């Protein structure tokens, strides 16, 4: 067996950094797999990055399954986690089990991710009891964006920092093997990482977390209007793609495409 939940406990114990990236389709999943990540997240950010919505809320369970199946085909051997979309895990533990069970049966994923704190402990226990590994997600949890009123830094004061630590502890005790920590102060990322056995994956939580996770399209510079402080762009694909397509259109209009090379005798 390749990477599995036990791999991450070992990596945490040995201080080895864990790397996750998102993928929602076969093609990008292939590249992400070739980069030798430790895991892929089929995030509900697909609703924004792929679907053009202004939040993650519209993602449906069927859409998540569709994208996870495509990503799985592109990265058949990579540890794969699927985000449970808004309203697929909040109604009742029974409903969550049915929905998470569908994800596991229909996508070949190794686990699911749920956004939220201690109130999910019972649900997480039920999932892990039937053998479904769970990744938690705390801090800036985008499914709650309307309750937060914006994408600002979370848990910035001492009381909310303590609350986040309590949530992380509850999730870890309920059986989460990993917790995403999004957009929280660096010190808090370090504190949670030191206090819980589950691995922490930071996205804007500083360098001390057990690992990092980013949206691949952000890393590749394909989301030009999205410039959060926690993203580092490793390419400028937006410019590359725009330039290439503009050149194609210009060439067709100027009669330069197709040329000899693209024509048959
Ligand atoms: O949906 C997503 O892509 C995520 C990551 C940003 C962690 O939850």
């Amino acid at each position: 067996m390749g990477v599995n939940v036990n791999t991450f406990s070992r990596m945490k114990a040995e201080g080895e950094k864990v790397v996750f990236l998102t993928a929602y389709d076969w093609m990008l999943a292939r590249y992400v797999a070739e980069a030798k990540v430790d895991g892929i997240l089929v995030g509900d950010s697909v609703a924004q990055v792929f679907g053009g919505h202004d939040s993650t809320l519209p993602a449906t369970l069927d859409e998540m399954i569709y994208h996870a199946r495509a990503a799985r085909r592109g990265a058949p051997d990579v540890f794969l986690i699927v985000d449970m979309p808004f309203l697929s895990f909040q109604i009742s533990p029974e409903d969550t089990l049915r929905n998470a069970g569908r994800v596991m049966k229909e996508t070949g994923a190794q686990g699911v991710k749920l956004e939220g704190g201690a109130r999910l402990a019972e649900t997480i226990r039920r999932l892990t009891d039937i053998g479904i590994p769970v990744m938690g997600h705390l801090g800036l949890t985008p499914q709650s964006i309307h309750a937060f009123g914006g994408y600002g830094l979370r848990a910035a004061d001492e009381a909310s920092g303590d609350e986040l630590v309590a949530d992380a502890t509850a999730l870890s005790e309920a059986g989460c093997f990993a917790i995403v920590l999004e957009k929280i102060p660096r010190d808090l990322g370090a504190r949670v990482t030191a206090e819980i056995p589950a691995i922490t994956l930071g996205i804007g939580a500083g360098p001390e977390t057990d690992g990092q996770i980013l949206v691949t399209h952000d890393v590749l510079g394909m989301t030009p209007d999205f410039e959060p402080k926690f993203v580092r762009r490793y390419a400028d694909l937006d410019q590359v793609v725009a330039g290439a397509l503009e050149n194609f259109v210009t060439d067709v209009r100027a009669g330069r495409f197709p040329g000899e090379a693209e024509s048959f005798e």
Side-chain angles (χ1 to χ4, degrees), residues 22 24 41-46 56 83 113 115 137 142 180 182 203 213-215:
T22 59
Y24 323 119
L41 171 70
V42 183
D44 61 355
S45 53
V46 67
T56 60
D83 237 344
K113 175 163 87 58
E115 290 184 11
H137 188 157
V180 171
E182 182 162 351
I203 170 164
I213 182 166
L214 281 178
V215 170

Side-chain angles (χ1 to χ4, degrees), residues 3-11 79 177:
V3 170
N4 59 67
V5 286
N6 301 320
T7 312
F8 299 119
S9 332
R10 181 195 55 75
M11 289 175 83
F79 185 87
F177 75 95

